[in-house]
Amino acid sequence: SNTFLMQRELNETYPSGGVGSFLLQLMAISFMQQRRHEEKVMGTAPNDNLGGLLLDFFDLYGRKFNYSTTGISVRDGGSYFRKADRGWLNPSRPQLLAVENPQSPEFDVGKNA
């Protein structure tokens, strides 16, 4: 996925507001956490097909994820939260990512992406 971002010039966090490696890692961890949770709830077997997982990752963050309202946390097994509840919603740029730093939960790692 780093190559995918680089081809679209979205891998540099400054000045373009792209996704850096730490943010990308947190997004991947969150994706896998949510995936595990869905598999447990639905009672389905884990998907170990890496190509399928990569396509699902792109589908989630490229089409399905609601950036305007939703933030990401990987702490305590992972969860989503409302950006407005933490004051992380920028009304002039609601599409920005909001990803909690696991070491400093008050810091938004994705605030410029």
Side-chain angles (χ1 to χ4, degrees), residues 15 29 34 81 99:
I29 291 168
Q34 296 304 321
F81 59 87
V99 181

Side-chain angles (χ1 to χ4, degrees), residues 47-104:
N47 178 1
D48 293 330
N49 178 323
L50 295 180
L53 289 172
L54 182 61
L55 290 175
D56 289 346
F57 176 88
F58 287 143
D59 186 46
L60 172 64
Y61 292 117
R63 295 180 15 174
K64 295 179 179 175
F65 194 80
N66 187 345
Y67 294 95
S68 296
T69 61
T70 309
I72 298 170
S73 172
V74 298
R75 292 184 315 128
D76 302 322
S79 63
Y80 295 141
F81 59 87
R82 288 178 27 93
K83 287 167 50 170
D85 291 347
R86 296 203 185 178
W88 290 4
L89 178 61
N90 181 342
S92 64
R93 298 175 70 198
Q95 76 282 4
L96 294 177
L97 267 169
V99 181
E100 172 190 87
N101 183 327
Q103 277 92 32
S104 302

Side-chain angles (χ1 to χ4, degrees), residues 18-61:
V19 177
S21 59
F22 182 55
L23 178 55
L24 183 59
Q25 288 175 28
L26 293 176
M27 291 170 69
I29 291 168
S30 174
F31 170 77
M32 295 305 294
Q33 288 173 326
Q34 296 304 321
R35 199 59 194 219
R36 177 189 289 169
H37 176 71
E38 288 173 12
E39 288 165 352
K40 284 182 182 179
V41 169
M42 307 273 285
T44 58
N47 178 1
D48 293 330
N49 178 323
L50 295 180
L53 289 172
L54 182 61
L55 290 175
D56 289 346
F57 176 88
F58 287 143
D59 186 46
L60 172 64
Y61 292 117

